[in-house]
Amino acid sequence: MRFGKAGDAELSFVPAGRTLDDQPADNDPMIVHVDTGGGQFDHHHSADTTLSAAELVRRELAPDNESLRRLVDQVTRIDHAEAYPGRQPVFFNINDLISGYNALYPNRPHHVAQAMLPNLDAWYEHEARQIRLERAFSRRLEFDTRWGLGIAMQSDDGGSSRLAYSHGAVLYAYRAS
């Protein structure tokens, strides 16, 4: 809905594995089945753990969108229980948020979907901002201090102490562009 030409699409929900009105998936170009019915956006027919319905849709609608690729990569890893290999997540993930909404509104999937859209928009913006910060950080200034590595950067998006400290900085400064 956000990246294709379906911004005003109507959402309909069907039981898992089914299709709208039990018609074959991909039979009607005006009806797009996602993650059900065995159509082009259903990943259940593949054992490929790099695929999810979100990834199949992303490849079709926004293959060059790096922010969306990062977001969908996490969704895919969560979908295949690979987001936190060998350990429990420190904090809840997007599926936990969706699960919470579904618990609050068990018979209102449209309400859950509408509640989630701003969360997904915020996540997308976070990924876009992170990419901009990484680009700004690649132009960083490194310098020696008596305490160790110093890093300075300039960015319109604020600074990223996380990036600086993960690169070994003991002193970090940034300036807004």
Side-chain angles (χ1 to χ4, degrees):
M1 292 176 68
R2 296 291 200 255
F3 298 96
K5 297 176 182 166
D8 59 349
E10 177 184 327
L11 291 177
S12 295
F13 296 87
V14 298
R18 305 278 301 272
T19 61
L20 189 65
D21 300 326
D22 293 319
Q23 295 298 309
D26 306 331
N27 189 43
D28 181 343
M30 298 304 293
I31 299 172
V32 178
H33 291 89
V34 178
D35 213 21
T36 190
Q40 68 176 334
F41 299 127
D42 187 351
H43 78 288
H44 294 109
H45 61 278
S46 172
D48 184 349
T49 59
T50 66
L51 287 183
S52 65
E55 176 60 15
L56 293 170
V57 171
R58 184 201 66 80
R59 288 177 183 181
E60 179 72 22
L61 298 180
D64 300 322
N65 185 319
E66 179 62 15
S67 302
L68 190 60
R69 188 202 60 75
R70 288 183 181 201
L71 184 154
V72 169
D73 178 62
Q74 287 300 306
V75 167
T76 301
R77 289 151 119 311
I78 291 167
D79 192 42
H80 290 282
E82 295 179 349
Y84 308 99
R87 62 184 173 90
Q88 292 293 320
V90 176
F91 194 66
F92 69 89
N93 64 40
I94 196 75
N95 279 4
D96 298 325
L97 187 57
I98 295 167
S99 179
Y101 277 124
N102 279 320
L104 289 172
Y105 310 105
N107 299 312
R108 297 171 61 192
H110 286 88
H111 188 83
V112 173
Q114 291 305 313
M116 282 305 301
L117 288 174
N119 291 288
L120 294 168
D121 290 340
W123 186 5
Y124 177 82
E125 181 52 36
H126 167 78
E127 295 298 342
R129 180 178 180 268
Q130 190 62 32
I131 290 168
R132 293 188 304 268
L133 282 170
E134 289 168 7
R135 288 183 183 140
F137 190 76
S138 72
R139 298 183 302 271
R140 70 189 174 273
L141 174 64
E142 294 186 0
F143 54 94
D144 291 320
T145 73
R146 70 172 109 173
W147 307 282
L149 177 64
I151 292 180
M153 67 178 279
Q154 181 173 322
S155 169
D156 289 331
D157 289 297
S160 180
S161 59
R162 184 181 304 169
L163 282 172
Y165 296 133
S166 72
H167 279 77
V170 297
L171 178 69
Y172 166 70
Y174 85 91
R175 179 176 80 172
S177 298

